[in-house]
Structure formats: structure tokens, C-alpha cells
Amino acid sequence: MNRKLCMALLCLIISAFSRAQNVYFPQINSTDSVAVAKQIQVLANEVINQYQTNDDKKAYLDNLFKLQIIAGKYTDALNSIAALRQIAKTDGTQYPALLYAQYELFCRAELAKQTKGIPFKQAFYNLAGDFFRTLDDKSAVSLSFSFTSRSGISDLKSDFKSGLVKQQQKDSLDIKDAIELCKAYNLMHVLEDIEPLSKTIQKADDNRRYIIQDSVFIKAKNGVVLSAVVVRKRGIDIPQPAVMLFFIYSNLERSLYEAKNAAARGYVGIVADTRGKRLSPGPIEPYEHENEDVNTVIDWIAAQPWSNGKVGMYGGSYSGFSQWAATKHMNKALKTIVPYVAAIPGQGVPMENNIFLNVNYQWAFYVTNNKYTDDAVNNDNQRWSNLRNNWYNSGAAFNKVDSIDGTPNPWQQKWLKHPAFDKYWQAMVPYKTDFAKINIPVLTFEGYYDDGQISGMQYVLDHYKYNPKANHYLIIGPYDHFGTQQGGTAVLRDYHLDPVAPMHTRDITFEWFDYILKGGRKPAILKDKINYEVMGANVWQHAPSLDKMYNNTLKLYLTNIKADSNYLMVDKKPVKPASLYQEVNLADRTTSNNDYYPDPIIKKQLNRSNGLFFISKPFDKPIQVNGIFTGELKAIINKKDMDIGVVLYEVMPNGDYFELSYYLGRASYAKDASVRHLLHPGVKETIPFTRTRMVSRRLSKGSRLLVVLNIDKNPFAQVNYGTGKDVSEETIKDAGGPLKIWWGNDSFINVPVMR
């Protein structure tokens, strides 16, 4: 075969392959719903013909059945759903037999319409009604959100239309884009048909199962009125223990779900709104009254005829904080708390180690703009991104951020007046010896990559510190803030979790309530006080205390000895004192310092335009990093203060960087978060740091540890110009000359390890 013929055949093969990866999709009027439906059906059929299975059969079937529904192949879709359920039985999915029940009923109603001539609405109503009557309470609650849209049909239509308009810029789509467009249409199409019917069916089913009170008012002795939702199981005549969620993100649908979930598991379910939210009159004042208001609700619960006097609490983030706030003044009816990723006002939000962050700037608007939540404001990511960058580039004082935004933020201004963890913040949660009085059992859930982990872990540390006999359990693994509250996901920021890592937070929570409030069995995962998943080892391990997680501590000194693009990190203190020089122009807005955020968790390369990099020697055998790394920095600077970042990585044998933990903190508060101690220019200072992220990971042979030491200067937090004034009042004019630092080679980190 000659060369020209070979080339011609190759071109034909490439052309055919290229066509096979795309499907024809002509331009259509996005407002013509009939034309759109016809063309989407054609598109779905073409995609089905080309769509090939891959290694992820679950993802393939998940896409396939949705394409089959659009194509009108309802029997095929039912078969695909059945295959998905078989896979779900082996991968830890909750209620696998109920997976995609809404789509199954939709298909069966369409088939009844085709084969028996029964109108779709009638068929679906009858099928869904019969289906819900066969379910037990827990199964029915688990499907609460499956049959309705979270944000509303109009939003689903808007999302699909946006996707359609975007794709209309060309006359063909690749398979991936075509599938996403079809899935958006499928979700809109199915829920548009079933949501109104489903709401009617589910309401009738709920009333059959429960006594529901969604407008309960609770009046405190001081005259404050709070609102709540209360759900009880019908047919129960004896007093029951109660489980409560205290909630600032008021949403009646969510509140009913949470309360029904508790009732379905054998408790009286209560969701109480924070002061000023939902039906509660008066102003909304975040953080400031929870230690009073939560106890008001607990007292009210204990006095009800349906209560046996035992109350448990659970919930994440703000709801986690509210549980600890309640323990500020222990209530005899509160028998246990289960906080997930609990916040500490003044230590985790709105500042971290005394540095105010921009990431939650919009939060005050989100929760105080109305009686529920201002989702439109909170989700306006472009506005908040622009605000951060505009403020940073302007060099304005941090307390002028709301002026740049154009909307006053009175809560931000109030919080900025308390840069120390002072009495204002201390009054909100247990502080120091308050923890000694907390003798109820506690179960904490946390995540290695929870942004606010330093808050959740501070409660754990302080509880054990001031009450050595604390009956406190911890479950922690590779989850972020929202993932911890759900039990994790298969993939987090491009990191594929170990198969054993995902869990079911809610199931464990109620197993715990059964154990504490009903004398049931302890949750199986709680084999000891500290329960943690070891990343890279695919195992859960257990220890009686945080200190028993490790049997050795690597003390590594940050030297001035150059090693390629890094400096060496060694286990022996250098004999000869020396230093490394770093200079940061705080007035320079063309650069940012301190790239510390773990997203993605595994990085191919790091930003080396600034900061100092220290690397250890390779490990000669596998080793586990287990716990919270700490350190002590020695530095001479030419100013009175600085904000420091320390990031800890594993450098894997293939050269990738796996982020383990990080520290962000203000030097002047390093020794005491409640009192500022300014640094002395020209004098060698000792700056300890402890409030870093807990982590557990198995490092392989050949891996090394890398520390990145830097000064925090970026759009995501205050810029500390080092004058010694209130940092919120400093401007770029206060920058003066560059910040000059001489880092001593007697600086070190402590890394807890299990050999």
C-alpha cells in the first residue's frame, strides 16, 4: 500500500472518529417548547446510539436512563434503573431499593398512558399514592426531596434555557455536552410533570403518619418569642425523648424534613428558629443570644406532656455552635449534643486566629436580610469576587469594604470592633473552666478539609483540657464543611476518597441518640473516643485520646541550607545560628502571597513566586501523619506585626503535592488570642502556632514533607501592614517600606506520626 493511500485512509478514519464524537443539533427557538421537546428527543436518541459504557458503570447507567426517558424508551429506562439499584446494594448507597423512585414512577405512569390510555396525572397519582403507603417512615422521609425541586421549576427552566442558548452557537455537540443538556432537560421535564402531584400525595402521607405543628410559638421569661416546628408520630401516647435542631437558616420545608426524620426514628422532632427568624418577631442578632434562647426551647420541651424530659441536639455549622452555646449554662434536660463542624464566633468565623476573612463577608446579609435566607444575595458569586478584588486593589482599610460594596454591613462593622477573642465573643460559648461543667456525652463530627475545622476541634480540645474525664467522642475523616454533615462524597476537590471513608452522618447521629437516650447499642464506628479515617490506607483507626493517635513527633527545623529550589528541613537543631531573609512589599497589588487553600487537594505544582519552601529527606518506610501539627517560628522583623501562613504538604514519590494541613494566624495574637502583644522591631521574637488542621494520612516510602512559610497578603483577608494600629483601620498608605523578615534556623514544626 502506497503512502498516499495510507494517508487517505487515515484521514477517513480520523474524520469518521471525529463525527462519532459529535451529534448534530440544529438551532431552534428556545421559547418554542414543542420544537424543543422534539429536538431534544432526537438528540437523546442519537446520543444513546453513540454512548459507550466505560469503567464507571454506575455513572454510565445514571446518564443512560435519563437519556432513555427523554427518548421515550420507558421500559429501557426501568431496566437501567434496576441495574443501578443492583450496583447500589454493594456501594453503601442508603435505601438502594428506592434509588430514583421518582423516575421509576414517572416511567410507569407514561407506560400506563401508552398501553392503557390512562391519563398521566391519574396514573402517576395512583401509582405514587400506593407506593408511599408501602413505605416505612424512614424510607418515606428519605424521599422527601426526591419528588420536588429544591430551587423551583422556574429555576430549572432557566438553567436549561441557559444551557440551550449556550449550545446554539454551533450546530453540533460533543457527547459530554449533549448528555449534560439532555440531563438538564430531563430534570426540568420530569419534575414539572410530577411535582404538583407529589406535594399533594406527600402531604396526605405525612398527615397519615404524623401530628405536625409548623407554627409553634415559644415565649421566654424575658418576653422574647421564638418559633418552631414540632412533629410527633401518630398513635404514640407515652412521653418520648425529643431531638432538636436549632436553626438560623430558616426554611419551612427543611424544618419539616428534619422534624419528620426525627419522628420517623422514634423521637419528637423539633426545629427551632433563632431569634427574629421565620415567625419570631423582633430583630435578628446572630450569635448573641443562643446561650439563652436554646435553653428557653429546652425548658419548653421538657414541660410538654409528650416529653419524657430528655432532649438531644444535633446539627452542623451554626447549629453546631448553638449546641455548644446551650452548654454555657447546662440545662438538666439536655442529655447529649451531636455537633457537626461547629463554629466558634471570634475564633473560626468571621476571623481565623484573629485575621478577619472575606470569604464569609456576605453571610450577615444572607441570614439577616429577611426572616428566611437571602439566597440571591448569598449566591451572587460575581459580586463577592469583584468586591474582594476591588477592595484589595484599592488599598482601602478593611473597615471600608462595605463602602466599596455600596451596601452598609452593620454586623461586619460590629465584629471588626472586636479583633481579639474578648469578652464579647467569650460570652457566646463555653470558655475555659466552663468546659469543666459539661458532663453530658458529646459526639463531634469533623472533616480534615472543613474550612472551620479549627473551631470544631477547639471545642474538643478545650473539653478534654478542662474536663479530663469528658465523655466526648470524635469522628473525623476526609470531608469538607458540607460533606462532613452528609458523610462525605466519593471525590473531594479532585481527590478520590478511600472506599471506606464515606459514611452516613445522620444514621450514626440517631444511633447515638438511641444509645444515650434509649439505652441502645453504641454506634459500631465508635470503637474508641477518637475515630479517624487514614487517608491512603483505606482504614478507620481508633484511639482513646488525641495524644494516643501518634507514638512519635517529628521535630523538624527550618534551615537556611539550600537544596535545589527548597531549603532543607532537618531533625537536628542547627549548631550555628543563621537566618533566611524574606521581603514582602505590602503595597504591591500586582502580586498575592500565601497560596494556602487546599483546592485541589493534590497539586501538580505550587506557586513558587513567593514564600520559603522547606523539604525533609524521603521516608525510608511508610509512615502515618496523625493529628495536629504545631510549630514555633523565630523571627526578627522591621515592623510591629505580621500575618503568617504555614502550609504542610506531602511530596509524593511521583512529585505531586498532597496538602495535609495549614495554619493562618496573626503574630501579635499567637501567644494569646484574647490579648494582642505587638512584636518589637529588630528584636528576635518567638511565635508559636497550634491551631492548625487535624489530619491523618499514610505517607508511602519515598514521600517527603514540605513546609511553605509565607506572609498572608491577598484579597481573601485583611492585609496587616504592621504599624501596630487596629489592622481594620490600616490602609495601603501605612505600608511604608517593605516588610523585612529574618527567619531563624531554630524555627521548627512538630508533626505527630505513628511509626
PDB file of all heavy atoms in Angstrom, residues 14 37 56 174 194 229 337 392 443 466 487 539 600 624 654 754:
ATOM      1  N   ILE A  14      -9.917   9.235  10.829  1.00  0.00           N
ATOM      2  CA  ILE A  14      -9.969  10.374  11.754  1.00  0.00           C
ATOM      3  C   ILE A  14     -11.274  11.137  11.593  1.00  0.00           C
ATOM      4  O   ILE A  14     -11.923  11.531  12.564  1.00  0.00           O
ATOM      5  CB  ILE A  14      -8.760  11.308  11.536  1.00  0.00           C
ATOM      6  CG1 ILE A  14      -7.473  10.606  11.956  1.00  0.00           C
ATOM      7  CG2 ILE A  14      -8.927  12.609  12.301  1.00  0.00           C
ATOM      8  CD1 ILE A  14      -6.203  11.365  11.615  1.00  0.00           C
ATOM      9  N   ALA A  37     -38.882  20.101  22.652  1.00  0.00           N
ATOM     10  CA  ALA A  37     -39.128  18.725  23.090  1.00  0.00           C
ATOM     11  C   ALA A  37     -38.817  17.730  21.979  1.00  0.00           C
ATOM     12  O   ALA A  37     -38.182  16.686  22.218  1.00  0.00           O
ATOM     13  CB  ALA A  37     -40.573  18.577  23.550  1.00  0.00           C
ATOM     14  N   ASP A  56     -16.666   3.321  34.756  1.00  0.00           N
ATOM     15  CA  ASP A  56     -17.636   3.727  35.779  1.00  0.00           C
ATOM     16  C   ASP A  56     -19.042   3.373  35.296  1.00  0.00           C
ATOM     17  O   ASP A  56     -19.755   4.199  34.725  1.00  0.00           O
ATOM     18  CB  ASP A  56     -17.520   5.231  36.040  1.00  0.00           C
ATOM     19  CG  ASP A  56     -18.287   5.659  37.287  1.00  0.00           C
ATOM     20  OD1 ASP A  56     -19.143   4.890  37.753  1.00  0.00           O
ATOM     21  OD2 ASP A  56     -18.026   6.774  37.777  1.00  0.00           O
ATOM     22  N   ASP A 174     -20.515  17.852  21.325  1.00  0.00           N
ATOM     23  CA  ASP A 174     -19.815  16.617  21.653  1.00  0.00           C
ATOM     24  C   ASP A 174     -20.680  15.833  22.633  1.00  0.00           C
ATOM     25  O   ASP A 174     -21.640  16.361  23.213  1.00  0.00           O
ATOM     26  CB  ASP A 174     -18.407  16.882  22.197  1.00  0.00           C
ATOM     27  CG  ASP A 174     -18.401  17.638  23.518  1.00  0.00           C
ATOM     28  OD1 ASP A 174     -19.312  17.442  24.338  1.00  0.00           O
ATOM     29  OD2 ASP A 174     -17.468  18.434  23.738  1.00  0.00           O
ATOM     30  N   ILE A 194     -44.397  16.010  37.715  1.00  0.00           N
ATOM     31  CA  ILE A 194     -44.762  15.261  38.931  1.00  0.00           C
ATOM     32  C   ILE A 194     -44.781  16.099  40.205  1.00  0.00           C
ATOM     33  O   ILE A 194     -45.399  15.685  41.193  1.00  0.00           O
ATOM     34  CB  ILE A 194     -43.815  14.064  39.144  1.00  0.00           C
ATOM     35  CG1 ILE A 194     -42.426  14.518  39.593  1.00  0.00           C
ATOM     36  CG2 ILE A 194     -43.745  13.187  37.896  1.00  0.00           C
ATOM     37  CD1 ILE A 194     -41.512  13.377  40.016  1.00  0.00           C
ATOM     38  N   VAL A 229     -41.047  24.244  64.705  1.00  0.00           N
ATOM     39  CA  VAL A 229     -41.827  23.185  64.087  1.00  0.00           C
ATOM     40  C   VAL A 229     -41.727  21.969  65.002  1.00  0.00           C
ATOM     41  O   VAL A 229     -40.628  21.633  65.463  1.00  0.00           O
ATOM     42  CB  VAL A 229     -41.281  22.830  62.686  1.00  0.00           C
ATOM     43  CG1 VAL A 229     -41.837  21.511  62.181  1.00  0.00           C
ATOM     44  CG2 VAL A 229     -41.597  23.946  61.699  1.00  0.00           C
ATOM     45  N   ILE A 337     -25.306  16.250  73.048  1.00  0.00           N
ATOM     46  CA  ILE A 337     -25.246  17.084  71.844  1.00  0.00           C
ATOM     47  C   ILE A 337     -24.408  16.353  70.796  1.00  0.00           C
ATOM     48  O   ILE A 337     -23.494  15.596  71.126  1.00  0.00           O
ATOM     49  CB  ILE A 337     -24.660  18.490  72.112  1.00  0.00           C
ATOM     50  CG1 ILE A 337     -23.228  18.408  72.659  1.00  0.00           C
ATOM     51  CG2 ILE A 337     -25.574  19.280  73.052  1.00  0.00           C
ATOM     52  CD1 ILE A 337     -22.528  19.770  72.779  1.00  0.00           C
ATOM     53  N   TYR A 392      -9.024  44.858  47.514  1.00  0.00           N
ATOM     54  CA  TYR A 392      -7.588  44.576  47.565  1.00  0.00           C
ATOM     55  C   TYR A 392      -6.812  45.555  46.694  1.00  0.00           C
ATOM     56  O   TYR A 392      -5.806  46.131  47.125  1.00  0.00           O
ATOM     57  CB  TYR A 392      -7.348  43.134  47.105  1.00  0.00           C
ATOM     58  CG  TYR A 392      -5.906  42.697  47.154  1.00  0.00           C
ATOM     59  CD1 TYR A 392      -5.245  42.546  48.363  1.00  0.00           C
ATOM     60  CD2 TYR A 392      -5.204  42.410  45.976  1.00  0.00           C
ATOM     61  CE1 TYR A 392      -3.922  42.123  48.417  1.00  0.00           C
ATOM     62  CE2 TYR A 392      -3.882  41.991  46.015  1.00  0.00           C
ATOM     63  CZ  TYR A 392      -3.244  41.850  47.243  1.00  0.00           C
ATOM     64  OH  TYR A 392      -1.934  41.438  47.279  1.00  0.00           O
ATOM     65  N   LEU A 443     -20.870  13.829  70.920  1.00  0.00           N
ATOM     66  CA  LEU A 443     -20.338  13.198  69.712  1.00  0.00           C
ATOM     67  C   LEU A 443     -20.084  14.288  68.685  1.00  0.00           C
ATOM     68  O   LEU A 443     -21.021  14.941  68.215  1.00  0.00           O
ATOM     69  CB  LEU A 443     -21.318  12.167  69.142  1.00  0.00           C
ATOM     70  CG  LEU A 443     -20.943  11.551  67.785  1.00  0.00           C
ATOM     71  CD1 LEU A 443     -19.592  10.853  67.845  1.00  0.00           C
ATOM     72  CD2 LEU A 443     -22.031  10.595  67.309  1.00  0.00           C
ATOM     73  N   TYR A 466     -10.145  20.910  80.055  1.00  0.00           N
ATOM     74  CA  TYR A 466     -10.721  21.367  81.324  1.00  0.00           C
ATOM     75  C   TYR A 466     -11.582  20.309  82.007  1.00  0.00           C
ATOM     76  O   TYR A 466     -11.971  20.487  83.162  1.00  0.00           O
ATOM     77  CB  TYR A 466     -11.540  22.643  81.084  1.00  0.00           C
ATOM     78  CG  TYR A 466     -10.681  23.811  80.668  1.00  0.00           C
ATOM     79  CD1 TYR A 466     -10.610  24.201  79.338  1.00  0.00           C
ATOM     80  CD2 TYR A 466      -9.915  24.496  81.599  1.00  0.00           C
ATOM     81  CE1 TYR A 466      -9.798  25.266  78.948  1.00  0.00           C
ATOM     82  CE2 TYR A 466      -9.104  25.561  81.225  1.00  0.00           C
ATOM     83  CZ  TYR A 466      -9.050  25.936  79.895  1.00  0.00           C
ATOM     84  OH  TYR A 466      -8.239  26.979  79.513  1.00  0.00           O
ATOM     85  N   GLY A 487     -21.682  13.026  55.315  1.00  0.00           N
ATOM     86  CA  GLY A 487     -20.954  11.773  55.398  1.00  0.00           C
ATOM     87  C   GLY A 487     -19.896  11.608  54.344  1.00  0.00           C
ATOM     88  O   GLY A 487     -19.330  10.528  54.195  1.00  0.00           O
ATOM     89  N   VAL A 539      -8.458   2.645  55.851  1.00  0.00           N
ATOM     90  CA  VAL A 539      -8.894   2.028  57.108  1.00  0.00           C
ATOM     91  C   VAL A 539      -9.364   3.121  58.071  1.00  0.00           C
ATOM     92  O   VAL A 539      -8.924   4.271  57.994  1.00  0.00           O
ATOM     93  CB  VAL A 539      -7.755   1.229  57.796  1.00  0.00           C
ATOM     94  CG1 VAL A 539      -7.354   0.025  56.956  1.00  0.00           C
ATOM     95  CG2 VAL A 539      -6.557   2.114  58.108  1.00  0.00           C
ATOM     96  N   PRO A 600      -7.102  22.342  44.347  1.00  0.00           N
ATOM     97  CA  PRO A 600      -7.350  20.938  44.678  1.00  0.00           C
ATOM     98  C   PRO A 600      -6.450  20.467  45.825  1.00  0.00           C
ATOM     99  O   PRO A 600      -5.467  21.132  46.168  1.00  0.00           O
ATOM    100  CB  PRO A 600      -7.008  20.217  43.376  1.00  0.00           C
ATOM    101  CG  PRO A 600      -5.960  21.083  42.744  1.00  0.00           C
ATOM    102  CD  PRO A 600      -6.358  22.499  43.083  1.00  0.00           C
ATOM    103  N   GLN A 624       2.571   7.235  59.088  1.00  0.00           N
ATOM    104  CA  GLN A 624       1.296   7.951  59.170  1.00  0.00           C
ATOM    105  C   GLN A 624       1.477   9.288  59.865  1.00  0.00           C
ATOM    106  O   GLN A 624       2.074   9.353  60.951  1.00  0.00           O
ATOM    107  CB  GLN A 624       0.257   7.129  59.951  1.00  0.00           C
ATOM    108  CG  GLN A 624      -0.378   6.022  59.151  1.00  0.00           C
ATOM    109  CD  GLN A 624      -1.423   5.265  59.941  1.00  0.00           C
ATOM    110  OE1 GLN A 624      -1.690   4.102  59.654  1.00  0.00           O
ATOM    111  NE2 GLN A 624      -2.041   5.909  60.914  1.00  0.00           N
ATOM    112  N   ASN A 654       5.899  10.522  43.111  1.00  0.00           N
ATOM    113  CA  ASN A 654       5.753  10.951  41.709  1.00  0.00           C
ATOM    114  C   ASN A 654       5.898  12.452  41.531  1.00  0.00           C
ATOM    115  O   ASN A 654       5.746  12.972  40.421  1.00  0.00           O
ATOM    116  CB  ASN A 654       4.404  10.483  41.153  1.00  0.00           C
ATOM    117  CG  ASN A 654       3.207  11.160  41.820  1.00  0.00           C
ATOM    118  OD1 ASN A 654       3.371  11.962  42.748  1.00  0.00           O
ATOM    119  ND2 ASN A 654       2.007  10.837  41.364  1.00  0.00           N
ATOM    120  N   MET A 754       2.602   8.191  63.487  1.00  0.00           N
ATOM    121  CA  MET A 754       2.535   6.824  64.002  1.00  0.00           C
ATOM    122  C   MET A 754       3.502   5.997  63.175  1.00  0.00           C
ATOM    123  O   MET A 754       3.325   5.840  61.967  1.00  0.00           O
ATOM    124  CB  MET A 754       1.115   6.271  63.877  1.00  0.00           C
ATOM    125  CG  MET A 754       0.965   4.833  64.353  1.00  0.00           C
ATOM    126  SD  MET A 754       1.228   4.636  66.135  1.00  0.00           S
ATOM    127  CE  MET A 754      -0.308   5.326  66.776  1.00  0.00           C
TER     128      MET A 754
END
